Amino acid sequence: MTTVRSLLRRLAGRPSSGVMYALLGVLLLSTVVLSRMVWQQTSTLETSVELTGETVNANVRTAGQTQRELLRLETALLADELDLEQVELLRSFVTQRMGEMVLPYHRAALGTDDLLAQAEVIESTWSTDVEPAVAAFASDPGMFTPAARRLLVEDIAGLELAVNTLAADAEIHRRTNAGRANAAAVDVLDGTRVLLVGLIAMLTGFVVVAALVVFTWRRMARQREHDLSEQMTLATEVRTLSQVASSTDNMVIVTDAAGRTEWVNDAFTRTTGYTLDDVLGIVPGDVLQGPDTDPATIATMREALAAGEGFNVEIVNYTVEGYPYWVELDVQPVRGEDGRIEHFIAVQSDITERREMEERLVAARDAAEELAHEKAMFLASMSHEIRTPLNAVIGLSGMLLDTDLDDQQRQYAMTARRSGSLLLELINNILSFSALEAGKVELERRPADLRALVAETCELFTEQAVGKGIDLAWTVDDDVADQVRTDPTRLRQVLVNLLGNAVKFTDAGTVRVEVTAAGGGEVGFRVVDSGVGVPDEVRARLFQPFTQADSSTSRTHGGTGLGLAISRHLVELLGGTVRIEDGVDGGTCFCFTVEAPAVQAAATRRIGDSGDATTPPEVRILLAEDDAVNQIVAVHMLGQLGHAVDVVADGHAVLEAIAATAYDLVLMDIHMPGLDGVATTQRIRTGMPPSAQPRIIAMTANALEGDRERFLASGMDGYVSKPVSLQALRKELARVLALPSLTEA
């Protein structure tokens, strides 16, 4: 204010406070007048907007909605086939719309009291005359003759015409009000223009005053004071930054615009061994970079510097003695007032320890992955090498048992077969446990016949139970659905493990499987036996791997202690829990639940049904197997199933055979000389027309987790693992070929 007063005095040559105050008074008065005008125009605009809002947003649609409901009711009554529920529903809709149409607040929508009165007359006609007739018709259409029905429709049509007229009058009123609101808005706009001119004039006055102040300002003195203040502030900041940069453990480098070193802090000298005199005027990278510095990173840095941009990289630098170290380098440009780059500031953080830790972690990860791969390869190799001779042992011993043997020979053959089965169980448990521990087991959720699954599983142990004099029984409650969605393979594996233990550890008495509905889409299972039981001190760790009840039990009954650990893993994957309770007469009860929601049973698709559901059709099969003993076993099994079999020993022979003969099915071994089973399958799928291609089932000793999915993805239709049982082969043939009798078996 002092400066303005002095300026005015200087311009007038005498004291001029009166002129200044008069000017300010005029400006203040102008502000008050213009503010009042703004208030008045705003009020007018608000009134106009409110009127427009009431007019535009008025619920004229109510009459239109009533008209549409009347038309729909009329259409429903004229339909050839009456839908009484629809008539009743439309009657209620019309009644609701009629009631809404005569509400008092619709006067604004309809426009006048006369129109509201018309709406009330229409509603009264509906509620007293037409609506009762429609209700009566909907409740008993037989009471209305065709003539009465036509009269009712005519009454409704009359009401619809009246509502249409009412809606048209209301729409005319709405448009009239909208026009008035628009005219008011135009008036407001004109007033706003006047206000704008006034505001411009006021702003011009303020600009004139500001110009007087600017031109009378003692710019030079003020500028000198300002420059001095800035210099002092900058000097303080430089001292502060210098102290911070000198005391930090991070290396700091200041360069000129060309990247030549101007200053380094003490941390730079401590880490690199270079002093400021050593690097002054030199580009830092010329002395710090070495043989292991990444050329691509250097190129990135140079491109950023040339473009005047900052960057952040990780790079290997070298000390004056030639020792490498890793740094995280952050470089940012410093620009002057004119925008040109004056300096670059580089901050280097030593990350050598972090990088070494990362490298150790990567090496440890790679070693773990390599170990896991080697373990998987070892398991796959051992599984294949053991299963291949086991297929011969179990298969040939089974064939031997089908011949005439004396008691001692039969005992020898049964012992050989049982030993092979125990060895197969051991291999399966080890593979399953390894896959579960590695998290490589994926569930397959599909519909399954729960009763058939339980019955088939129990039948596997019937012969063993009868041989020990055990009463083996199973029950499934009536409230358990026939078809449930689950992974039947994994569920069967759990039942086999628990039921096998029950039969193994029960020398006499009973073994019982009970299945109940647990609610919430869960199914409960109880495997109860009257066997030797489990001591309390062992129960807490019973589901841990390699755990047996005690050493004497292990010697008496055998086993690896993996079955229960595998069962616990599988039950948890199936969405349930497992626990142990007391069984019958001191025996054991294993109880578990799984998520198995009910699904609607689907009819079994049967292909090739010739009308005789009890006689399986003969299937032309090509067996691809290079092991002579396994050829004998497979041919014998297929002969028992009544199928014709040709045998080849490698993939090339398969391609030649199917080119000469139309086979229904190829049983494909995976490991064959020359051309393996997967490559052979892919040539068949890509080289033959679909109509001429046979079905292909992998019959292999590859039985690791994921093998089945891998073979199916290669183009095969089915999978059975060696050693192959007659039942498993029969079931897979039935599934792939959809044979009626085998499906039922």
Side-chain angles (χ1 to χ4, degrees), residues 10 59 81 105 124 126 142 156 183 195 378 388 410 497 523 540 570 577 614 645 743:
R10 196 175 300 170
N59 192 8
E81 295 184 5
Y105 74 85
S124 176
W126 165 260
I156 295 173
L195 177 62
F378 171 76
T388 299
R410 182 166 297 277
N497 283 342
V523 177
L570 291 176
T577 57
T614 62
V645 186
T743 302

Side-chain angles (χ1 to χ4, degrees), residues 493-565:
Q493 188 174 355
V494 175
L495 284 174
V496 166
N497 283 342
L498 298 181
L499 194 54
N501 280 345
V503 174
K504 180 196 303 183
F505 292 104
T506 302
D507 295 327
T510 61
V511 173
R512 188 171 65 254
V513 179
E514 301 170 354
V515 185
T516 59
E522 289 191 343
V523 177
F525 295 82
R526 287 167 51 88
V527 180
V528 189
D529 65 64
S530 59
V532 297
V534 178
D536 292 338
E537 63 272 14
V538 180
R539 292 190 178 189
R541 55 186 176 85
L542 192 60
F543 291 100
Q544 299 301 317
F546 310 110
T547 298
Q548 287 282 5
D550 55 48
S551 58
S552 62
T553 300
S554 178
R555 288 195 301 270
T556 303
H557 297 91
T560 63
L562 289 176
L564 293 180

Side-chain angles (χ1 to χ4, degrees), residues 43-250:
S43 300
T44 303
L45 183 60
E46 288 178 349
T47 302
S48 176
V49 169
E50 181 179 359
L51 177 60
T52 303
E54 290 178 354
T55 303
V56 174
N57 296 324
N59 192 8
V60 179
R61 293 177 298 175
T62 302
Q65 292 170 348
T66 306
Q67 179 187 1
R68 286 194 296 273
E69 298 297 348
L70 287 168
L71 287 172
R72 291 168 64 184
L73 178 60
E74 181 181 346
T75 302
L77 291 171
L78 290 173
D80 294 334
E81 295 184 5
L82 286 174
D83 186 343
L84 297 181
E85 290 184 359
Q86 183 184 17
V87 171
E88 177 61 21
L89 181 63
L90 292 174
R91 178 191 67 79
S92 64
F93 283 168
V94 173
T95 301
Q96 178 182 353
R97 298 303 183 195
M98 286 288 185
E100 293 174 354
M101 193 170 64
V102 298
L103 292 175
Y105 74 85
H106 282 299
R107 183 185 182 283
L110 296 174
T112 65
D113 290 333
D114 292 339
L115 292 178
L116 182 61
Q118 292 180 26
E120 292 173 347
V121 170
I122 295 172
E123 191 278 337
S124 176
T125 303
W126 165 260
S127 60
T128 58
D129 298 331
V130 181
E131 192 272 347
V134 175
F137 180 81
S139 60
D140 187 8
M143 64 181 291
F144 278 82
T145 63
R149 181 174 171 184
R150 285 193 301 274
L151 289 176
L152 178 58
V153 171
E154 291 175 0
D155 291 341
I156 295 173
L159 281 177
E160 184 270 328
L161 179 61
V163 171
N164 182 48
T165 302
L166 178 65
D169 293 339
E171 177 65 16
I172 292 172
H173 173 70
R174 186 189 71 78
R175 293 183 179 180
T176 301
N177 283 344
R180 293 172 182 170
N182 183 67
V186 171
D187 293 339
V188 171
L189 180 60
D190 293 337
T192 303
R193 289 171 179 167
V194 174
L195 177 62
L196 181 60
V197 173
L199 289 175
I200 293 174
M202 185 178 67
L203 180 60
T204 303
F206 279 116
V207 170
V208 171
V209 173
L212 291 174
V213 173
V214 170
F215 281 106
T216 59
W217 198 270
R218 289 182 292 182
R219 292 178 297 173
M220 296 301 296
R222 297 285 186 181
Q223 186 64 42
R224 284 195 300 270
E225 293 177 2
H226 177 70
D227 291 344
L228 179 60
S229 175
E230 281 194 348
Q231 290 175 5
M232 294 177 62
T233 301
L234 181 59
T236 302
E237 291 179 354
V238 168
R239 286 195 299 271
T240 302
L241 291 174
S242 177
Q243 292 174 355
V244 171
S246 297
S247 61
T248 182
D249 290 333
N250 291 333

